């Protein structure tokens, strides 16, 4: 339940064998500045709602099984300093 994590700023779950997709509820973590989910088995696409994370500064999703394109909404992340998506199956252009 993400409503109890409304002030969360840093979430690192690297190397935990996490599978499945990025939960849409992640976009409700409005104060999140750092999200690192690298080196797991996350699949599916990057949710377009990630563009709602206006405070996000670092986004690490590398070394997973993410596919599809980078959602255009990612271009709204004006505070984003690091976007790491290497070693996935992402195609298309960077918004």
């Amino acid at each position: 339940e993400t409503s109890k994590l409304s002030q969360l700023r840093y979430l690192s779950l690297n190397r935990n064998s996490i599978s499945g997709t990025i939960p849409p509820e992640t976009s409700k973590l409005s104060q999140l500045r750092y999200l690192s989910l690298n080196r797991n088995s996350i699949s599916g696409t990057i949710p377009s709602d990630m563009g709602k994370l206006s405070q996000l500064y670092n986004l690490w999703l590398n070394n997973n099984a993410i596919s599809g394109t980078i959602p255009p909404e990612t271009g709204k992340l004006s505070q984003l300093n690091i976007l790491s998506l290497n070693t996935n199956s992402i195609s298309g252009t960077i918004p």
Side-chain angles (χ1 to χ4, degrees), residues 11-18 35-40:
L11 179 59
S12 179
L13 297 169
N14 305 331
R15 298 180 186 220
N16 279 292
S17 301
I18 297 170
L35 177 59
S36 184
L37 300 172
N38 58 309
R39 296 185 182 265
N40 283 293

Side-chain angles (χ1 to χ4, degrees), residues 7-67:
Q7 298 302 309
L8 187 68
R9 292 180 183 262
Y10 184 101
L11 179 59
S12 179
L13 297 169
N14 305 331
R15 298 180 186 220
N16 279 292
S17 301
I18 297 170
S19 60
T21 60
I22 299 170
E25 295 82 12
T26 304
S27 67
K28 295 180 182 174
L29 302 172
S30 61
Q31 299 301 310
L32 200 62
R33 295 197 45 82
Y34 182 97
L35 177 59
S36 184
L37 300 172
N38 58 309
R39 296 185 182 265
N40 283 293
S41 297
I42 297 170
S43 59
T45 61
I46 300 170
S48 59
D49 280 356
M50 294 288 279
K52 294 180 180 177
L53 297 174
S54 61
Q55 301 300 312
L56 198 62
Y57 189 73
N58 291 338
L59 178 58
W60 298 84
L61 299 175
N62 52 294
N63 295 86
N64 280 291
I66 298 170
S67 59

